Amino acid sequence: VNQFDRVTKLLVLLNNFEPVDAFQQINSSNFYISTNETNMDAILNVSQILPVSNSRDYSEVKKHLNEIISAKASLMKESEGKISPIWNQEEIVAQIENLYKEYKDINEKLQNYKHLMDDYQKLSESLDFLSEVDVNIEELNNLKNFSWGIYKISRENREKLKRNYENIPSIIITIYTTKDYKIILTFTPNLLLKEANNIFRSANCEPIPNAMGFNGTPKEAVQELRNLQKDLENEVKILEEEQKAFIKENSKKIDILEASLDLELQSNAVKGKSAIAKDFFYISGWVPESEIKKITRNIEKIDEQIIIIDKSAETLENSNLKAPTRLKNNFFVKPFESMVRMYGMPSYGEID
């Protein structure tokens, strides 16, 4: 049983094994172990056999690693060279989570600065519409009984809003007009703010952020915002370089962890179709006939006690068990395999 994980991973790496449900095979007449002294323990364990339960959920770990892989793909070319995956699942998870923590610290700060830049950009655009208005923003923000807002609205929806004026508990002033849309400034009593917001929402009015944290005239606030944007642009450049350096430094490690987690997940798929008892595990699957010796040789290197039974598709008694099809064509015919797959793969033994 101690070699179960190693065997499943080896089968994945050999890339010529297709698992079938071992528990069902044991319950069928296809499962047979010869009765001799060497195999006695395995035979006795059959009565205690159970399907394998893969309880570990790798979805969060995979999500974290994919985030780093996506960042690497956008910053660097694909790495070249041979990758040797990690076989210990605890080590894989620990290394991914440690790497993600470092990446997250940089990336979260970078994304926050970028969002703040976008907010400042939208705010400066909204204040540009008020640039000709000689009013102190602080006075607007300190209105006791009223709230002010700026909305962008299409000309068509502006006409709908105009026809509904008697129901709107707000003062509405058009402050900017283009061919496609208008910008309106609104003043609404605080007691009726919810009702007014519902009406503006139903008329598809797009709210534009107002300058709650700024003082002075709109023109002065816009200048202050532009200065803040420049500072943020410098911070973003520094963090982007830091992120790029982190990805470059850990490029090989990212590739190893990607291959390792992929191996772990494929190994779990093999385990999910395996069966296990107290001292033995049972794996069943299809292998190309030409690869049986290679698989046997590699598995026996892990542990000589592992029993390997091979049967040809023709000798199986279970009629529900169908051998998979493996296309093997020369270089001239091989490009046409994709056309065959479009219509459906031929069954085992059928003409290709």
Side-chain angles (χ1 to χ4, degrees):
V1 167
N2 296 334
Q3 305 295 357
F4 186 34
D5 188 62
R6 287 189 67 194
V7 171
T8 55
K9 284 176 179 165
L10 177 65
L11 289 171
V12 170
L13 290 173
L14 290 172
N15 198 30
N16 52 21
F17 179 81
E18 185 173 322
V20 297
D21 193 319
F23 193 68
Q24 285 186 5
Q25 289 301 296
I26 289 166
N27 289 328
S28 76
S29 54
N30 288 320
F31 184 79
Y32 173 77
I33 301 177
S34 59
T35 308
N36 57 46
E37 190 177 340
T38 307
N39 299 344
M40 193 56 64
D41 287 339
I43 293 167
L44 291 172
N45 265 257
V46 170
S47 61
Q48 306 165 13
I49 204 158
L50 292 168
V52 176
S53 173
N54 286 323
S55 56
R56 183 150 201 171
D57 182 10
Y58 287 94
S59 56
E60 195 67 17
V61 177
K62 188 173 175 61
K63 180 184 170 186
H64 290 168
L65 183 59
N66 283 344
E67 200 175 318
I68 301 172
I69 291 166
S70 296
K72 179 177 177 285
S74 64
L75 293 170
M76 297 178 64
K77 292 180 180 177
E78 264 189 55
S79 305
E80 295 180 358
K82 192 176 178 181
I83 301 294
S84 297
I86 302 163
W87 283 43
N88 184 292
Q89 61 178 338
E90 298 302 330
E91 189 182 343
I92 295 166
V93 173
Q95 286 200 33
I96 290 173
E97 292 302 354
N98 289 337
L99 192 69
Y100 181 71
K101 187 179 181 300
E102 290 182 60
Y103 169 79
K104 187 182 175 185
D105 289 342
I106 302 168
N107 192 57
E108 274 192 353
K109 199 182 289 186
L110 176 61
Q111 296 309 318
N112 287 338
Y113 280 162
K114 284 183 175 180
H115 289 319
L116 198 54
M117 278 180 64
D118 289 341
D119 290 344
Y120 283 172
Q121 180 61 33
K122 288 174 185 175
L123 190 52
S124 62
E125 286 172 2
S126 71
L127 289 173
D128 269 336
F129 298 128
L130 291 170
S131 58
E132 301 305 318
V133 180
D134 187 18
V135 63
N136 192 303
I137 292 172
E138 191 175 9
E139 291 176 6
L140 293 177
N141 291 335
N142 290 335
L143 290 170
K144 285 185 180 179
N145 300 312
F146 284 81
S147 293
W148 67 287
I150 304 173
Y151 294 89
K152 180 180 177 180
I153 184 170
S154 68
R155 294 180 74 87
E156 182 185 344
N157 286 327
R158 179 72 172 86
E159 294 305 314
K160 289 180 185 177
L161 199 66
K162 194 182 285 185
R163 289 195 294 270
N164 205 25
Y165 267 171
E166 67 273 12
N167 298 318
I168 304 172
S170 304
I171 298 167
I172 299 175
I173 305 165
T174 301
I175 58 173
Y176 189 80
T177 303
T178 70
K179 185 177 74 172
D180 300 316
Y181 65 87
K182 292 190 175 187
I183 304 296
I184 59 173
L185 175 66
T186 66
F187 295 91
T188 307
N190 291 334
L191 291 172
L192 299 171
L193 193 58
K194 187 176 179 181
E195 183 184 337
N197 285 341
N198 287 337
I199 293 170
F200 291 135
R201 200 178 296 115
S202 65
N204 293 320
C205 297
E206 182 187 332
I208 297 172
N210 52 25
M212 296 303 292
F214 293 87
N215 300 319
T217 65
K219 194 174 280 187
E220 290 168 343
V222 168
Q223 187 56 50
E224 187 180 346
L225 277 165
R226 283 176 182 155
N227 292 338
L228 287 170
Q229 279 180 286
K230 283 182 182 176
D231 292 341
L232 280 174
E233 280 174 16
N234 292 331
E235 291 293 334
V236 165
K237 282 179 184 175
I238 292 167
L239 283 168
E240 283 178 339
E241 286 303 314
E242 191 178 338
Q243 188 183 65
K244 193 171 183 178
F246 172 82
I247 293 292
K248 191 173 181 180
E249 182 184 337
N250 291 285
S251 173
K252 186 75 173 177
K253 189 174 186 178
I254 294 166
D255 291 342
I256 291 170
L257 290 173
E258 183 182 10
S260 302
L261 185 59
D262 186 52
L263 175 61
E264 187 67 38
L265 293 172
Q266 289 188 64
S267 166
N268 276 357
V270 176
K271 288 176 185 174
K273 291 192 173 183
S274 304
I276 197 163
K278 183 184 175 184
D279 299 314
F280 284 84
F281 61 86
Y282 303 83
I283 301 173
S284 183
W286 295 104
V287 176
E289 191 175 351
S290 58
E291 301 286 338
I292 288 175
K293 285 183 181 178
K294 179 183 175 183
I295 282 192
T296 302
R297 191 168 58 249
N298 280 280
I299 290 176
E300 284 176 347
K301 284 180 186 176
I302 294 175
D303 195 325
E304 290 181 357
Q305 287 187 307
I306 295 173
I307 303 164
I308 299 170
I309 305 165
D310 63 88
K311 287 187 175 186
S312 66
E314 292 75 18
T315 62
L316 295 178
E317 296 175 21
N318 186 350
S319 58
N320 294 321
L321 195 63
K322 303 292 183 186
T325 304
R326 184 195 192 199
L327 298 179
K328 186 178 180 181
N329 294 303
N330 60 40
F331 74 94
F332 181 76
V333 180
K334 201 167 184 63
F336 296 95
E337 284 183 8
S338 57
M339 293 176 65
V340 173
R341 288 192 179 96
M342 284 172 63
Y343 291 95
M345 289 281 282
S347 296
Y348 179 79
E350 283 186 344
I351 294 173
D352 179 5

